mmCIF file of all heavy atoms in Angstrom:
data_model
loop_
_atom_site.group_PDB
_atom_site.id
_atom_site.type_symbol
_atom_site.label_atom_id
_atom_site.label_comp_id
_atom_site.label_asym_id
_atom_site.label_seq_id
_atom_site.Cartn_x
_atom_site.Cartn_y
_atom_site.Cartn_z
ATOM 1 N N LEU D 1 60.800 80.599 -23.737
ATOM 2 C CA LEU D 1 61.695 80.895 -24.855
ATOM 3 C C LEU D 1 62.684 81.965 -24.689
ATOM 4 O O LEU D 1 63.792 81.899 -25.267
ATOM 5 C CB LEU D 1 60.893 81.181 -26.061
ATOM 6 C CG LEU D 1 59.937 80.028 -26.625
ATOM 7 C CD1 LEU D 1 59.114 80.515 -27.822
ATOM 8 C CD2 LEU D 1 60.747 78.785 -27.035
ATOM 9 N N PHE D 2 62.354 82.989 -23.885
ATOM 10 C CA PHE D 2 63.332 84.071 -23.745
ATOM 11 C C PHE D 2 63.125 84.776 -22.478
ATOM 12 O O PHE D 2 62.065 84.602 -21.779
ATOM 13 C CB PHE D 2 63.249 85.049 -24.928
ATOM 14 C CG PHE D 2 61.971 85.897 -25.002
ATOM 15 C CD1 PHE D 2 61.947 87.149 -24.442
ATOM 16 C CD2 PHE D 2 60.861 85.452 -25.663
ATOM 17 C CE1 PHE D 2 60.858 87.984 -24.520
ATOM 18 C CE2 PHE D 2 59.719 86.217 -25.749
ATOM 19 C CZ PHE D 2 59.686 87.496 -25.182
ATOM 20 N N ASN D 3 64.084 85.596 -22.043
ATOM 21 C CA ASN D 3 64.041 86.252 -20.760
ATOM 22 C C ASN D 3 63.636 87.714 -20.961
ATOM 23 O O ASN D 3 64.320 88.477 -21.740
ATOM 24 C CB ASN D 3 65.417 86.272 -20.085
ATOM 25 C CG ASN D 3 65.892 84.783 -19.850
ATOM 26 O OD1 ASN D 3 65.300 84.061 -19.066
ATOM 27 N ND2 ASN D 3 66.934 84.372 -20.576
ATOM 28 N N SER D 4 62.559 88.095 -20.280
ATOM 29 C CA SER D 4 62.108 89.488 -20.479
ATOM 30 C C SER D 4 63.171 90.520 -19.976
ATOM 31 O O SER D 4 63.691 90.374 -18.905
ATOM 32 C CB SER D 4 60.791 89.711 -19.730
ATOM 33 O OG SER D 4 60.246 90.955 -20.053
ATOM 34 N N GLY D 5 63.471 91.434 -20.869
ATOM 35 C CA GLY D 5 64.539 92.430 -20.523
ATOM 36 C C GLY D 5 65.844 92.072 -21.119
ATOM 37 O O GLY D 5 66.754 92.889 -21.085
ATOM 38 N N GLN D 6 66.008 90.816 -21.674
ATOM 39 C CA GLN D 6 67.280 90.460 -22.327
ATOM 40 C C GLN D 6 67.165 90.332 -23.809
ATOM 41 O O GLN D 6 67.753 91.033 -24.581
ATOM 42 C CB GLN D 6 67.763 89.197 -21.707
ATOM 43 C CG GLN D 6 68.151 89.321 -20.255
ATOM 44 C CD GLN D 6 68.772 88.054 -19.688
ATOM 45 O OE1 GLN D 6 69.393 87.182 -20.393
ATOM 46 N NE2 GLN D 6 68.640 87.794 -18.382
ATOM 47 N N GLU D 7 66.301 89.327 -24.272
ATOM 48 C CA GLU D 7 66.085 89.153 -25.666
ATOM 49 C C GLU D 7 64.908 90.006 -26.180
ATOM 50 O O GLU D 7 64.549 90.021 -27.342
ATOM 51 C CB GLU D 7 65.874 87.654 -26.038
ATOM 52 C CG GLU D 7 67.072 86.812 -25.763
ATOM 53 C CD GLU D 7 67.117 86.307 -24.276
ATOM 54 O OE1 GLU D 7 66.173 86.542 -23.567
ATOM 55 O OE2 GLU D 7 68.196 85.726 -23.967
ATOM 56 N N GLY D 8 64.163 90.573 -25.246
ATOM 57 C CA GLY D 8 62.978 91.374 -25.612
ATOM 58 C C GLY D 8 62.209 91.562 -24.359
ATOM 59 O O GLY D 8 62.707 91.654 -23.276
ATOM 60 N N PHE D 9 60.842 91.618 -24.488
ATOM 61 C CA PHE D 9 59.975 91.919 -23.335
ATOM 62 C C PHE D 9 58.729 91.008 -23.407
ATOM 63 O O PHE D 9 58.106 90.835 -24.496
ATOM 64 C CB PHE D 9 59.586 93.315 -23.240
ATOM 65 C CG PHE D 9 60.730 94.261 -23.002
ATOM 66 C CD1 PHE D 9 61.302 94.956 -23.983
ATOM 67 C CD2 PHE D 9 61.170 94.470 -21.637
ATOM 68 C CE1 PHE D 9 62.427 95.835 -23.781
ATOM 69 C CE2 PHE D 9 62.219 95.308 -21.438
ATOM 70 C CZ PHE D 9 62.824 95.994 -22.483
ATOM 71 N N LEU D 10 58.251 90.520 -22.239
ATOM 72 C CA LEU D 10 57.049 89.828 -22.111
ATOM 73 C C LEU D 10 55.950 90.785 -21.479
ATOM 74 O O LEU D 10 56.323 91.611 -20.610
ATOM 75 C CB LEU D 10 57.134 88.623 -21.133
ATOM 76 C CG LEU D 10 57.973 87.502 -21.648
ATOM 77 C CD1 LEU D 10 58.324 86.507 -20.496
ATOM 78 C CD2 LEU D 10 57.243 86.687 -22.725
ATOM 79 N N ILE D 11 54.743 90.751 -22.074
ATOM 80 C CA ILE D 11 53.644 91.602 -21.620
ATOM 81 C C ILE D 11 52.498 90.804 -21.304
ATOM 82 O O ILE D 11 52.410 89.581 -21.650
ATOM 83 C CB ILE D 11 53.342 92.693 -22.584
ATOM 84 C CG1 ILE D 11 52.810 92.066 -23.925
ATOM 85 C CG2 ILE D 11 54.556 93.642 -22.823
ATOM 86 C CD1 ILE D 11 52.305 93.047 -24.911
ATOM 87 N N LYS D 12 51.501 91.307 -20.569
ATOM 88 C CA LYS D 12 50.260 90.620 -20.320
ATOM 89 C C LYS D 12 49.369 90.632 -21.579
ATOM 90 O O LYS D 12 49.427 91.558 -22.419
ATOM 91 C CB LYS D 12 49.457 91.226 -19.196
ATOM 92 C CG LYS D 12 50.205 91.186 -17.862
ATOM 93 C CD LYS D 12 50.418 89.773 -17.398
ATOM 94 C CE LYS D 12 51.020 89.677 -15.989
ATOM 95 N NZ LYS D 12 51.349 88.303 -15.581
ATOM 96 N N ALA D 13 48.639 89.598 -21.792
ATOM 97 C CA ALA D 13 47.683 89.501 -22.970
ATOM 98 C C ALA D 13 46.769 90.702 -22.931
ATOM 99 O O ALA D 13 46.231 91.026 -21.841
ATOM 100 C CB ALA D 13 46.920 88.161 -22.991
ATOM 101 N N GLY D 14 46.623 91.353 -24.034
ATOM 102 C CA GLY D 14 45.691 92.471 -24.124
ATOM 103 C C GLY D 14 46.274 93.834 -23.690
ATOM 104 O O GLY D 14 45.564 94.882 -23.822
ATOM 105 N N ASP D 15 47.505 93.802 -23.268
ATOM 106 C CA ASP D 15 48.060 95.091 -22.712
ATOM 107 C C ASP D 15 48.784 95.888 -23.869
ATOM 108 O O ASP D 15 49.962 95.839 -24.019
ATOM 109 C CB ASP D 15 49.083 94.733 -21.593
ATOM 110 C CG ASP D 15 49.504 95.976 -20.785
ATOM 111 O OD1 ASP D 15 49.301 97.115 -21.271
ATOM 112 O OD2 ASP D 15 50.144 95.805 -19.713
ATOM 113 N N GLY D 16 47.997 96.596 -24.588
ATOM 114 C CA GLY D 16 48.545 97.383 -25.664
ATOM 115 C C GLY D 16 49.433 98.551 -25.234
ATOM 116 O O GLY D 16 50.349 98.902 -25.897
ATOM 117 N N GLU D 17 49.140 99.100 -24.018
ATOM 118 C CA GLU D 17 49.991 100.131 -23.557
ATOM 119 C C GLU D 17 51.413 99.647 -23.313
ATOM 120 O O GLU D 17 52.441 100.357 -23.648
ATOM 121 C CB GLU D 17 49.401 100.749 -22.291
ATOM 122 C CG GLU D 17 48.142 101.503 -22.465
ATOM 123 C CD GLU D 17 47.618 102.167 -21.204
ATOM 124 O OE1 GLU D 17 48.305 102.035 -20.184
ATOM 125 O OE2 GLU D 17 46.556 102.826 -21.222
ATOM 126 N N ALA D 18 51.592 98.488 -22.667
ATOM 127 C CA ALA D 18 52.939 97.964 -22.459
ATOM 128 C C ALA D 18 53.593 97.601 -23.766
ATOM 129 O O ALA D 18 54.827 97.766 -23.935
ATOM 130 C CB ALA D 18 52.862 96.665 -21.633
ATOM 131 N N LEU D 19 52.804 97.117 -24.712
ATOM 132 C CA LEU D 19 53.420 96.847 -26.043
ATOM 133 C C LEU D 19 53.985 98.058 -26.715
ATOM 134 O O LEU D 19 55.157 98.086 -27.224
ATOM 135 C CB LEU D 19 52.309 96.204 -26.961
ATOM 136 C CG LEU D 19 52.683 95.802 -28.388
ATOM 137 C CD1 LEU D 19 53.799 94.825 -28.387
ATOM 138 C CD2 LEU D 19 51.501 95.193 -29.041
ATOM 139 N N VAL D 20 53.271 99.192 -26.640
ATOM 140 C CA VAL D 20 53.845 100.413 -27.210
ATOM 141 C C VAL D 20 54.938 101.011 -26.335
ATOM 142 O O VAL D 20 55.928 101.346 -27.002
ATOM 143 C CB VAL D 20 52.624 101.441 -27.253
ATOM 144 C CG1 VAL D 20 53.148 102.799 -27.641
ATOM 145 C CG2 VAL D 20 51.599 100.986 -28.184
ATOM 146 N N ALA D 21 54.878 100.944 -25.103
ATOM 147 C CA ALA D 21 55.962 101.476 -24.224
ATOM 148 C C ALA D 21 57.252 100.767 -24.468
ATOM 149 O O ALA D 21 58.327 101.353 -24.665
ATOM 150 C CB ALA D 21 55.537 101.428 -22.782
ATOM 151 N N HIS D 22 57.209 99.456 -24.496
ATOM 152 C CA HIS D 22 58.449 98.614 -24.738
ATOM 153 C C HIS D 22 59.014 98.880 -26.123
ATOM 154 O O HIS D 22 60.150 98.835 -26.444
ATOM 155 C CB HIS D 22 58.290 97.163 -24.458
ATOM 156 C CG HIS D 22 58.142 96.839 -22.989
ATOM 157 N ND1 HIS D 22 59.066 97.191 -22.122
ATOM 158 C CD2 HIS D 22 57.179 96.155 -22.346
ATOM 159 C CE1 HIS D 22 58.737 96.776 -20.864
ATOM 160 N NE2 HIS D 22 57.545 96.069 -21.012
ATOM 161 N N SER D 23 58.036 99.028 -27.082
ATOM 162 C CA SER D 23 58.488 99.322 -28.476
ATOM 163 C C SER D 23 59.231 100.595 -28.594
ATOM 164 O O SER D 23 60.189 100.714 -29.282
ATOM 165 C CB SER D 23 57.276 99.301 -29.433
ATOM 166 O OG SER D 23 56.647 98.009 -29.407
ATOM 167 N N LEU D 24 58.610 101.642 -27.907
ATOM 168 C CA LEU D 24 59.384 102.927 -27.927
ATOM 169 C C LEU D 24 60.743 102.821 -27.271
ATOM 170 O O LEU D 24 61.739 103.478 -27.799
ATOM 171 C CB LEU D 24 58.536 103.972 -27.192
ATOM 172 C CG LEU D 24 57.248 104.451 -27.844
ATOM 173 C CD1 LEU D 24 56.389 105.277 -26.879
ATOM 174 C CD2 LEU D 24 57.594 105.404 -29.015
ATOM 175 N N ASP D 25 60.808 102.063 -26.256
ATOM 176 C CA ASP D 25 62.118 101.862 -25.579
ATOM 177 C C ASP D 25 63.154 101.257 -26.543
ATOM 178 O O ASP D 25 64.293 101.682 -26.606
ATOM 179 C CB ASP D 25 61.949 100.912 -24.395
ATOM 180 C CG ASP D 25 63.212 100.779 -23.568
ATOM 181 O OD1 ASP D 25 63.995 101.667 -23.582
ATOM 182 O OD2 ASP D 25 63.290 99.756 -22.839
ATOM 183 N N LEU D 26 62.771 100.214 -27.308
ATOM 184 C CA LEU D 26 63.669 99.528 -28.211
ATOM 185 C C LEU D 26 63.935 100.247 -29.493
ATOM 186 O O LEU D 26 65.080 100.425 -29.900
ATOM 187 C CB LEU D 26 63.170 98.154 -28.509
ATOM 188 C CG LEU D 26 63.255 97.070 -27.355
ATOM 189 C CD1 LEU D 26 62.449 95.860 -27.652
ATOM 190 C CD2 LEU D 26 64.692 96.720 -27.075
ATOM 191 N N LEU D 27 62.900 100.809 -30.067
ATOM 192 C CA LEU D 27 62.987 101.465 -31.312
ATOM 193 C C LEU D 27 63.701 102.722 -31.216
ATOM 194 O O LEU D 27 64.327 103.335 -32.108
ATOM 195 C CB LEU D 27 61.644 101.615 -32.081
ATOM 196 C CG LEU D 27 60.991 100.362 -32.456
ATOM 197 C CD1 LEU D 27 59.588 100.686 -32.985
ATOM 198 C CD2 LEU D 27 61.754 99.598 -33.495
ATOM 199 N N GLY D 28 63.657 103.330 -30.020
ATOM 200 C CA GLY D 28 64.264 104.728 -29.775
ATOM 201 C C GLY D 28 65.777 104.582 -29.298
ATOM 202 O O GLY D 28 66.429 105.583 -29.111
ATOM 203 N N ASP D 29 66.224 103.359 -29.146
ATOM 204 C CA ASP D 29 67.646 103.161 -28.718
ATOM 205 C C ASP D 29 68.277 102.095 -29.503
ATOM 206 O O ASP D 29 68.121 100.871 -29.275
ATOM 207 C CB ASP D 29 67.610 102.812 -27.238
ATOM 208 C CG ASP D 29 68.986 102.776 -26.533
ATOM 209 O OD1 ASP D 29 69.968 102.601 -27.252
ATOM 210 O OD2 ASP D 29 69.115 102.970 -25.319
ATOM 211 N N ALA D 30 69.111 102.548 -30.498
ATOM 212 C CA ALA D 30 69.688 101.583 -31.424
ATOM 213 C C ALA D 30 70.663 100.628 -30.727
ATOM 214 O O ALA D 30 70.728 99.422 -31.047
ATOM 215 C CB ALA D 30 70.384 102.304 -32.535
ATOM 216 N N ASN D 31 71.342 101.110 -29.726
ATOM 217 C CA ASN D 31 72.322 100.245 -28.983
ATOM 218 C C ASN D 31 71.552 99.167 -28.217
ATOM 219 O O ASN D 31 72.002 97.967 -28.204
ATOM 220 C CB ASN D 31 73.220 101.086 -27.996
ATOM 221 C CG ASN D 31 74.225 101.889 -28.746
ATOM 222 O OD1 ASN D 31 74.676 101.455 -29.888
ATOM 223 N ND2 ASN D 31 74.596 103.040 -28.215
ATOM 224 N N LYS D 32 70.544 99.509 -27.541
ATOM 225 C CA LYS D 32 69.723 98.544 -26.843
ATOM 226 C C LYS D 32 69.133 97.558 -27.806
ATOM 227 O O LYS D 32 69.098 96.375 -27.483
ATOM 228 C CB LYS D 32 68.662 99.242 -26.004
ATOM 229 C CG LYS D 32 67.754 98.238 -25.191
ATOM 230 C CD LYS D 32 66.723 98.952 -24.364
ATOM 231 C CE LYS D 32 67.328 99.666 -23.159
ATOM 232 N NZ LYS D 32 66.338 100.225 -22.251
ATOM 233 N N ARG D 33 68.675 97.967 -28.905
ATOM 234 C CA ARG D 33 68.073 97.114 -29.922
ATOM 235 C C ARG D 33 69.148 96.140 -30.451
ATOM 236 O O ARG D 33 68.789 94.937 -30.579
ATOM 237 C CB ARG D 33 67.471 97.921 -31.036
ATOM 238 C CG ARG D 33 66.553 97.191 -31.911
ATOM 239 C CD ARG D 33 65.693 98.164 -32.729
ATOM 240 N NE ARG D 33 66.521 98.889 -33.753
ATOM 241 C CZ ARG D 33 66.748 100.244 -33.661
ATOM 242 N NH1 ARG D 33 66.170 100.917 -32.646
ATOM 243 N NH2 ARG D 33 67.454 100.861 -34.546
ATOM 244 N N ARG D 34 70.323 96.593 -30.685
ATOM 245 C CA ARG D 34 71.367 95.688 -31.170
ATOM 246 C C ARG D 34 71.749 94.705 -30.030
ATOM 247 O O ARG D 34 71.956 93.511 -30.408
ATOM 248 C CB ARG D 34 72.585 96.473 -31.561
ATOM 249 C CG ARG D 34 72.499 97.130 -32.926
ATOM 250 C CD ARG D 34 73.750 97.626 -33.421
ATOM 251 N NE ARG D 34 74.256 98.774 -32.622
ATOM 252 C CZ ARG D 34 74.056 100.018 -32.855
ATOM 253 N NH1 ARG D 34 73.317 100.335 -33.956
ATOM 254 N NH2 ARG D 34 74.593 101.008 -32.118
ATOM 255 N N HIS D 35 71.727 95.138 -28.825
ATOM 256 C CA HIS D 35 72.094 94.183 -27.730
ATOM 257 C C HIS D 35 71.067 93.082 -27.616
ATOM 258 O O HIS D 35 71.337 91.911 -27.468
ATOM 259 C CB HIS D 35 72.188 94.946 -26.440
ATOM 260 C CG HIS D 35 72.428 94.107 -25.190
ATOM 261 N ND1 HIS D 35 73.664 93.570 -24.879
ATOM 262 C CD2 HIS D 35 71.610 93.598 -24.333
ATOM 263 C CE1 HIS D 35 73.576 92.901 -23.846
ATOM 264 N NE2 HIS D 35 72.333 92.816 -23.449
ATOM 265 N N CYS D 36 69.746 93.422 -27.659
ATOM 266 C CA CYS D 36 68.703 92.494 -27.591
ATOM 267 C C CYS D 36 68.688 91.556 -28.780
ATOM 268 O O CYS D 36 68.469 90.369 -28.691
ATOM 269 C CB CYS D 36 67.354 93.179 -27.504
ATOM 270 S SG CYS D 36 66.975 93.922 -25.910
#
């Protein structure tokens, strides 16, 4: 459905650390969030 790094991010099932890390990346950068 989408390309990781372009429309969002794909993570491994159960990987809560990656979920949080990518969320910090997007929520902390309004320009990146608008681009995605």
